[in-house]
Amino acid sequence: IVDELLKDQGAHISVCAIETETNKFKVSLRAMEGYDVGKIANSLGGGGHKLSAGFRFTSTSSKDIIEKIAPLLKKEIQG
């Protein structure tokens, strides 16, 4: 899914969060060349590579993931 999202024309970074257990999410990140999602994942306790990374997140709401990751994505895209 996350790879397909990145194929959208104009997309630079894609994010996909899947609830694997109650209140436990697996978040996958993909990026086009020139961006570093590995840095974002590492800052949230995950790992990966510059163009493909991920992390796990525990919360009662997927909205919390958006609030946590949105500023990091914005910073990465703006450089």
Coordinates of all heavy atoms in Angstrom, one line a residue:
I1 N 0.8 -1.2 0.0 CA 0.0 0.0 0.0 C 0.9 1.3 0.0 O 0.6 2.2 -0.8 CB -1.0 0.0 1.2 CG1 -2.0 -1.1 1.1 CG2 -1.7 1.4 1.3 CD1 -2.8 -1.3 2.3
V2 N 1.9 1.3 0.9 CA 2.7 2.5 1.0 C 3.5 2.8 -0.3 O 3.7 3.9 -0.7 CB 3.6 2.4 2.2 CG1 4.7 1.5 2.1 CG2 4.1 3.8 2.6
D3 N 3.9 1.7 -1.0 CA 4.6 1.9 -2.3 C 3.6 2.5 -3.3 O 4.0 3.3 -4.1 CB 5.2 0.6 -2.7 CG 6.3 0.2 -1.9 OD1 7.1 1.0 -1.5 OD2 6.4 -1.0 -1.5
E4 N 2.4 2.0 -3.3 CA 1.4 2.5 -4.3 C 1.1 4.0 -4.0 O 0.9 4.7 -5.0 CB 0.1 1.6 -4.2 CG 0.3 0.2 -4.8 CD 0.7 0.2 -6.2 OE1 0.2 1.0 -7.0 OE2 1.7 -0.6 -6.5
L5 N 1.0 4.3 -2.8 CA 0.7 5.7 -2.4 C 1.8 6.7 -3.0 O 1.5 7.8 -3.4 CB 0.6 5.9 -0.9 CG -0.6 5.3 -0.2 CD1 -0.5 5.3 1.3 CD2 -1.9 5.9 -0.7
L6 N 3.0 6.2 -3.0 CA 4.1 7.0 -3.5 C 4.1 7.2 -5.0 O 4.6 8.2 -5.5 CB 5.5 6.4 -3.0 CG 6.7 7.3 -3.2 CD1 6.5 8.5 -2.4 CD2 7.9 6.5 -2.7
K7 N 3.4 6.4 -5.7 CA 3.3 6.5 -7.1 C 2.3 7.6 -7.5 O 2.3 8.0 -8.7 CB 2.8 5.2 -7.7 CG 3.8 4.1 -7.6 CD 3.3 2.8 -8.3 CE 4.3 1.7 -8.1 NZ 3.7 0.4 -8.6
D8 N 1.5 8.1 -6.6 CA 0.6 9.2 -6.9 C 1.5 10.4 -7.4 O 2.5 10.8 -6.8 CB -0.1 9.6 -5.6 CG -1.1 10.7 -5.9 OD1 -1.6 10.8 -7.0 OD2 -1.4 11.5 -4.9
Q9 N 1.0 11.0 -8.5 CA 1.8 12.1 -9.1 C 1.9 13.3 -8.1 O 0.9 13.7 -7.5 CB 1.1 12.5 -10.4 CG 1.9 13.4 -11.2 CD 1.3 13.6 -12.6 OE1 0.3 13.1 -12.9 NE2 2.0 14.3 -13.4
G10 N 3.1 13.7 -7.9 CA 3.3 14.8 -7.0 C 3.6 14.4 -5.5 O 4.0 15.2 -4.7
A11 N 3.5 13.1 -5.2 CA 3.8 12.7 -3.9 C 5.3 12.6 -3.7 O 6.1 12.1 -4.6 CB 3.2 11.3 -3.6
H12 N 5.8 13.0 -2.6 CA 7.2 13.0 -2.2 C 7.5 11.9 -1.1 O 8.5 11.3 -1.2 CB 7.8 14.3 -1.8 CG 7.6 15.4 -2.8 ND1 8.4 15.5 -3.9 CD2 6.7 16.4 -2.8 CE1 8.0 16.6 -4.6 NE2 6.9 17.1 -4.0
I13 N 6.6 11.8 -0.2 CA 6.7 10.9 0.9 C 5.3 10.3 1.1 O 4.3 11.0 1.0 CB 7.1 11.6 2.2 CG1 8.5 12.2 2.0 CG2 7.1 10.6 3.4 CD1 9.0 13.0 3.2
S14 N 5.3 9.0 1.4 CA 4.0 8.3 1.7 C 4.1 7.6 3.1 O 5.2 7.2 3.5 CB 3.6 7.3 0.6 OG 4.5 6.2 0.6
V15 N 2.9 7.6 3.7 CA 2.8 7.0 5.0 C 1.6 6.1 5.1 O 0.6 6.4 4.6 CB 2.6 8.1 6.1 CG1 2.5 7.5 7.5 CG2 3.7 9.2 6.0
C16 N 1.8 4.9 5.7 CA 0.7 4.0 5.9 C 0.8 3.4 7.3 O 1.8 2.9 7.7 CB 0.8 2.8 4.8 SG -0.6 1.7 5.0
A17 N -0.3 3.6 8.0 CA -0.4 3.0 9.4 C -1.4 1.9 9.4 O -2.6 2.1 9.0 CB -0.8 4.1 10.4
I18 N -1.0 0.8 9.9 CA -1.9 -0.4 10.1 C -2.0 -0.8 11.5 O -0.9 -1.0 12.2 CB -1.4 -1.6 9.2 CG1 -1.3 -1.2 7.7 CG2 -2.2 -2.8 9.4 CD1 -0.7 -2.2 6.8
E19 N -3.2 -1.0 12.0 CA -3.3 -1.4 13.4 C -3.1 -2.9 13.4 O -3.9 -3.7 12.8 CB -4.7 -1.0 13.9 CG -4.9 -1.3 15.4 CD -6.1 -0.7 16.0 OE1 -7.1 -0.4 15.2 OE2 -6.2 -0.5 17.2
T20 N -2.1 -3.4 14.1 CA -1.7 -4.8 14.1 C -2.3 -5.5 15.3 O -2.6 -6.7 15.2 CB -0.2 -5.0 14.1 OG1 0.3 -4.3 15.3 CG2 0.5 -4.4 12.9
E21 N -2.6 -4.8 16.3 CA -3.3 -5.3 17.5 C -4.0 -4.1 18.1 O -3.8 -3.0 17.6 CB -2.3 -5.8 18.6 CG -1.4 -7.0 18.2 CD -0.4 -7.3 19.3 OE1 -0.9 -7.4 20.5 OE2 0.7 -7.4 19.0
T22 N -4.9 -4.3 19.0 CA -5.6 -3.2 19.6 C -4.7 -2.2 20.1 O -3.8 -2.5 20.9 CB -6.6 -3.7 20.7 OG1 -7.4 -4.7 20.2 CG2 -7.4 -2.6 21.3
N23 N -4.8 -0.9 19.6 CA -4.0 0.2 20.0 C -2.5 0.1 19.6 O -1.7 0.9 20.2 CB -4.1 0.5 21.5 CG -5.5 0.8 21.9 OD1 -6.3 1.3 21.1 ND2 -5.9 0.4 23.1
K24 N -2.1 -0.8 18.8 CA -0.7 -0.9 18.3 C -0.7 -0.8 16.8 O -1.4 -1.6 16.1 CB -0.1 -2.3 18.8 CG 0.0 -2.3 20.3 CD 0.7 -3.6 20.7 CE 0.6 -3.7 22.2 NZ 1.9 -3.6 22.9
F25 N 0.1 0.1 16.3 CA 0.2 0.4 14.9 C 1.6 0.2 14.4 O 2.6 0.4 15.0 CB -0.2 1.9 14.7 CG -1.6 2.2 15.0 CD1 -1.9 2.6 16.3 CD2 -2.6 2.2 14.1 CE1 -3.2 2.9 16.6 CE2 -3.9 2.5 14.4 CZ -4.2 2.8 15.7
K26 N 1.6 -0.3 13.1 CA 2.9 -0.4 12.4 C 2.8 0.7 11.3 O 1.8 0.7 10.5 CB 3.0 -1.8 11.7 CG 4.2 -1.9 10.9 CD 4.3 -3.2 10.1 CE 5.4 -3.3 9.2 NZ 5.4 -4.4 8.3
V27 N 3.8 1.6 11.3 CA 3.8 2.7 10.4 C 4.9 2.5 9.4 O 6.1 2.4 9.8 CB 3.9 4.1 11.2 CG1 3.8 5.2 10.2 CG2 2.8 4.2 12.3
S28 N 4.6 2.6 8.1 CA 5.6 2.4 7.1 C 5.7 3.7 6.4 O 4.7 4.4 6.1 CB 5.1 1.3 6.1 OG 5.1 0.1 6.7
L29 N 6.9 4.1 6.0 CA 7.2 5.3 5.3 C 8.0 5.0 4.1 O 8.9 4.2 4.1 CB 8.1 6.2 6.2 CG 7.6 6.5 7.6 CD1 8.7 7.2 8.5 CD2 6.4 7.5 7.6
R30 N 7.7 5.7 3.0 CA 8.5 5.6 1.8 C 8.8 7.0 1.2 O 7.9 7.9 1.5 CB 7.7 4.8 0.7 CG 7.4 3.4 1.0 CD 8.7 2.5 1.1 NE 8.4 1.1 1.3 CZ 8.1 0.6 2.5 NH1 8.2 1.4 3.6 NH2 7.9 -0.7 2.6
A31 N 9.9 7.2 0.5 CA 10.2 8.5 0.0 C 10.8 8.4 -1.4 O 11.4 7.4 -1.7 CB 11.2 9.2 1.0
M32 N 10.7 9.5 -2.1 CA 11.3 9.7 -3.3 C 12.8 10.1 -3.0 O 13.1 10.6 -1.9 CB 10.6 10.8 -4.2 CG 9.2 10.5 -4.5 SD 9.0 9.0 -5.6 CE 9.6 9.6 -7.1
E33 N 13.6 10.0 -4.0 CA 15.0 10.4 -3.9 C 15.1 11.9 -3.4 O 14.3 12.7 -3.9 CB 15.8 10.2 -5.2 CG 17.3 10.3 -5.1 CD 17.9 9.2 -4.2 OE1 17.5 8.0 -4.4 OE2 18.7 9.5 -3.4
G34 N 16.0 12.2 -2.5 CA 16.1 13.5 -2.0 C 15.5 13.7 -0.6 O 15.6 14.8 -0.1
Y35 N 14.8 12.7 -0.1 CA 14.2 12.8 1.2 C 14.7 11.7 2.1 O 15.2 10.7 1.6 CB 12.6 12.7 1.1 CG 12.1 13.9 0.3 CD1 11.8 13.7 -1.1 CD2 11.9 15.1 0.9 CE1 11.3 14.8 -1.8 CE2 11.4 16.2 0.1 CZ 11.1 16.0 -1.2 OH 10.6 17.0 -2.0
D36 N 14.6 11.8 3.4 CA 15.1 10.8 4.3 C 14.1 10.4 5.3 O 14.0 11.1 6.4 CB 16.4 11.4 5.0 CG 17.1 10.3 5.8 OD1 16.6 9.2 6.0 OD2 18.2 10.6 6.2
V37 N 13.3 9.4 5.1 CA 12.3 8.9 6.0 C 13.0 8.1 7.1 O 12.4 7.9 8.2 CB 11.1 8.2 5.4 CG1 10.3 9.2 4.5 CG2 11.6 7.0 4.5
G38 N 14.2 7.6 6.9 CA 14.9 6.8 7.9 C 15.2 7.7 9.1 O 15.0 7.2 10.2
K39 N 15.5 8.9 8.9 CA 15.7 9.9 10.0 C 14.5 10.1 10.8 O 14.5 10.1 12.0 CB 16.2 11.2 9.4 CG 16.5 12.3 10.3 CD 17.2 13.5 9.7 CE 16.4 14.0 8.5 NZ 16.9 15.2 7.9
I40 N 13.3 10.2 10.1 CA 12.1 10.3 10.8 C 11.7 9.1 11.7 O 11.4 9.2 12.9 CB 10.9 10.6 9.8 CG1 11.1 12.0 9.2 CG2 9.6 10.6 10.5 CD1 10.2 12.2 8.0
A41 N 11.9 7.9 11.1 CA 11.6 6.7 11.8 C 12.5 6.5 13.0 O 12.1 6.1 14.0 CB 11.7 5.5 10.8
N42 N 13.8 6.8 12.8 CA 14.7 6.7 13.9 C 14.3 7.6 15.1 O 14.5 7.2 16.2 CB 16.1 7.0 13.4 CG 16.8 5.9 12.6 OD1 16.4 4.7 12.8 ND2 17.7 6.3 11.7
S43 N 13.9 8.8 14.8 CA 13.5 9.7 15.8 C 12.3 9.2 16.6 O 12.0 9.7 17.7 CB 13.3 11.1 15.3 OG 12.1 11.2 14.6
L44 N 11.5 8.3 16.0 CA 10.3 7.7 16.7 C 10.6 6.3 17.2 O 9.6 5.6 17.4 CB 9.1 7.8 15.7 CG 8.7 9.2 15.3 CD1 7.7 9.2 14.2 CD2 8.2 10.0 16.5
G45 N 11.8 5.9 17.3 CA 12.1 4.6 17.8 C 12.2 3.5 16.8 O 12.3 2.3 17.2
G46 N 12.1 3.8 15.5 CA 12.1 2.8 14.5 C 13.4 2.7 13.8 O 14.4 3.1 14.3
G47 N 13.3 2.4 12.5 CA 14.6 2.3 11.8 C 14.3 2.1 10.3 O 13.1 2.2 9.9
G48 N 15.3 1.8 9.5 CA 15.2 1.6 8.1 C 16.2 2.3 7.3 O 17.3 2.6 7.9
H49 N 15.9 2.7 6.2 CA 16.8 3.3 5.2 C 16.3 4.7 4.8 O 15.1 5.1 5.2 CB 17.0 2.5 4.0 CG 17.4 1.1 4.3 ND1 18.7 0.8 4.6 CD2 16.7 -0.1 4.4 CE1 18.8 -0.5 4.8 NE2 17.6 -1.0 4.7
K50 N 17.1 5.4 4.1 CA 16.7 6.8 3.7 C 15.3 6.8 2.9 O 14.5 7.7 3.1 CB 17.8 7.3 2.8 CG 17.7 8.8 2.4 CD 18.9 9.2 1.7 CE 18.8 10.7 1.4 NZ 20.0 11.2 0.7
L51 N 15.1 5.8 2.1 CA 13.9 5.8 1.2 C 12.8 4.9 1.7 O 11.7 4.9 1.2 CB 14.3 5.5 -0.2 CG 15.3 6.4 -0.9 CD1 15.5 6.0 -2.3 CD2 14.8 7.9 -0.8
S52 N 13.1 4.1 2.7 CA 12.1 3.1 3.2 C 12.4 2.8 4.7 O 13.5 2.3 5.0 CB 12.3 1.8 2.4 OG 11.4 0.8 2.9
A53 N 11.4 3.1 5.5 CA 11.6 3.0 6.9 C 10.3 2.8 7.6 O 9.2 2.8 7.0 CB 12.3 4.2 7.5
G54 N 10.3 2.6 8.9 CA 9.1 2.4 9.7 C 9.3 2.4 11.2 O 10.5 2.4 11.6
F55 N 8.2 2.4 11.9 CA 8.3 2.4 13.3 C 6.9 1.9 13.9 O 6.0 1.7 13.1 CB 8.5 3.8 13.9 CG 7.5 4.8 13.6 CD1 6.4 5.1 14.5 CD2 7.5 5.5 12.4 CE1 5.5 6.1 14.2 CE2 6.5 6.5 12.1 CZ 5.5 6.7 13.0
R56 N 6.9 1.5 15.1 CA 5.7 1.1 15.8 C 5.2 2.1 16.7 O 6.0 2.9 17.3 CB 6.0 -0.3 16.5 CG 6.4 -1.3 15.5 CD 6.2 -2.7 16.1 NE 6.7 -3.7 15.1 CZ 5.9 -4.3 14.3 NH1 4.6 -4.0 14.2 NH2 6.3 -5.2 13.4
F57 N 3.9 2.2 16.9 CA 3.3 3.3 17.7 C 2.2 2.8 18.5 O 1.3 2.0 17.9 CB 2.8 4.4 16.7 CG 2.5 5.7 17.3 CD1 3.5 6.6 17.6 CD2 1.2 6.0 17.7 CE1 3.2 7.9 18.2 CE2 0.9 7.2 18.3 CZ 1.9 8.1 18.5
T58 N 2.1 3.1 19.7 CA 1.0 2.6 20.6 C 0.1 3.8 20.9 O 0.6 4.8 21.4 CB 1.5 2.0 21.9 OG1 2.4 0.8 21.5 CG2 0.4 1.5 22.8
S59 N -1.2 3.7 20.7 CA -2.1 4.8 20.9 C -3.5 4.3 20.8 O -3.8 3.2 20.2 CB -1.9 5.9 19.9 OG -2.8 6.9 20.1
T60 N -4.4 5.0 21.4 CA -5.8 4.6 21.3 C -6.5 5.2 20.0 O -7.6 4.9 19.7 CB -6.6 5.1 22.5 OG1 -6.5 6.5 22.6 CG2 -6.2 4.4 23.7
S61 N -5.7 6.1 19.3 CA -6.2 6.7 18.1 C -5.1 6.9 17.0 O -4.0 7.3 17.3 CB -6.8 8.1 18.5 OG -7.1 8.8 17.3
S62 N -5.5 6.6 15.8 CA -4.6 6.8 14.7 C -4.3 8.3 14.5 O -3.3 8.7 14.0 CB -5.1 6.2 13.4 OG -6.4 6.7 13.1
K63 N -5.2 9.2 15.0 CA -5.0 10.6 14.9 C -3.7 11.0 15.7 O -3.1 12.0 15.3 CB -6.2 11.3 15.5 CG -6.2 12.8 15.5 CD -7.4 13.4 16.1 CE -7.2 15.0 16.0 NZ -8.4 15.6 16.7
D64 N -3.4 10.3 16.7 CA -2.2 10.6 17.5 C -0.9 10.4 16.6 O 0.0 11.2 16.7 CB -2.1 9.7 18.7 CG -3.1 10.0 19.8 OD1 -3.7 11.2 19.7 OD2 -3.4 9.2 20.6
I65 N -1.0 9.5 15.7 CA 0.1 9.2 14.8 C 0.3 10.4 13.9 O 1.4 10.9 13.7 CB -0.1 7.9 14.0 CG1 -0.2 6.7 14.9 CG2 1.1 7.8 13.0 CD1 -0.7 5.5 14.2
I66 N -0.8 10.9 13.4 CA -0.7 12.1 12.5 C -0.2 13.3 13.2 O 0.7 14.0 12.7 CB -2.1 12.3 11.9 CG1 -2.6 11.2 11.0 CG2 -2.1 13.7 11.1 CD1 -4.1 11.2 10.7
E67 N -0.6 13.5 14.4 CA -0.2 14.7 15.2 C 1.3 14.5 15.5 O 2.0 15.5 15.5 CB -1.0 14.8 16.5 CG -2.4 15.2 16.2 CD -3.2 15.2 17.5 OE1 -2.8 14.8 18.5 OE2 -4.4 15.7 17.4
K68 N 1.8 13.3 15.7 CA 3.2 13.1 16.0 C 4.1 13.2 14.7 O 5.2 13.8 14.8 CB 3.4 11.7 16.6 CG 4.7 11.4 17.1 CD 5.0 12.1 18.4 CE 6.2 11.5 19.1 NZ 6.5 12.2 20.4
I69 N 3.7 12.7 13.6 CA 4.5 12.6 12.5 C 4.4 13.8 11.5 O 5.4 14.1 10.8 CB 4.2 11.3 11.7 CG1 5.4 11.0 10.8 CG2 2.9 11.3 11.0 CD1 5.4 9.6 10.2
A70 N 3.3 14.5 11.5 CA 3.1 15.6 10.6 C 4.2 16.7 10.6 O 4.7 17.1 9.6 CB 1.7 16.2 10.8
P71 N 4.6 17.2 11.8 CA 5.6 18.2 11.9 C 7.0 17.6 11.4 O 7.7 18.4 10.8 CB 5.7 18.5 13.4 CG 4.5 18.0 14.0 CD 4.0 16.9 13.2
L72 N 7.2 16.4 11.6 CA 8.5 15.8 11.1 C 8.5 15.7 9.6 O 9.5 15.9 9.0 CB 8.7 14.4 11.8 CG 8.8 14.4 13.3 CD1 8.8 13.0 13.8 CD2 10.0 15.1 13.8
L73 N 7.4 15.3 9.0 CA 7.2 15.2 7.6 C 7.4 16.6 6.9 O 8.1 16.8 5.9 CB 5.9 14.6 7.2 CG 5.7 13.1 7.5 CD1 4.3 12.7 7.3 CD2 6.6 12.3 6.7
K74 N 6.7 17.6 7.5 CA 6.8 18.9 7.0 C 8.2 19.5 7.0 O 8.7 20.0 6.0 CB 5.9 19.9 7.9 CG 5.8 21.3 7.4 CD 4.9 22.1 8.3 CE 4.8 23.5 7.8 NZ 3.9 24.3 8.6
K75 N 8.9 19.2 8.1 CA 10.3 19.6 8.2 C 11.2 19.0 7.1 O 12.0 19.6 6.5 CB 10.8 19.3 9.6 CG 12.2 19.8 9.9 CD 12.7 19.4 11.3 CE 14.1 19.8 11.5 NZ 14.6 19.4 12.9
E76 N 11.0 17.7 6.9 CA 11.7 17.0 5.9 C 11.4 17.5 4.5 O 12.3 17.6 3.7 CB 11.4 15.5 6.0 CG 12.2 14.6 5.0 CD 13.7 14.7 5.2 OE1 14.2 14.9 6.4 OE2 14.4 14.5 4.2
I77 N 10.2 17.7 4.2 CA 9.8 18.2 2.9 C 10.3 19.6 2.6 O 10.8 19.9 1.5 CB 8.3 18.1 2.7 CG1 7.9 16.6 2.6 CG2 7.8 18.8 1.4 CD1 6.4 16.4 2.7
Q78 N 10.2 20.4 3.6 CA 10.7 21.8 3.5 C 12.2 22.0 3.5 O 12.7 23.0 3.0 CB 10.1 22.7 4.5 CG 8.6 22.9 4.4 CD 8.0 23.8 5.4 OE1 8.5 24.0 6.5 NE2 6.8 24.2 5.2
G79 N 12.9 20.9 4.0 CA 14.3 20.9 4.0 C 14.8 21.7 5.1 O 15.7 22.2 5.4

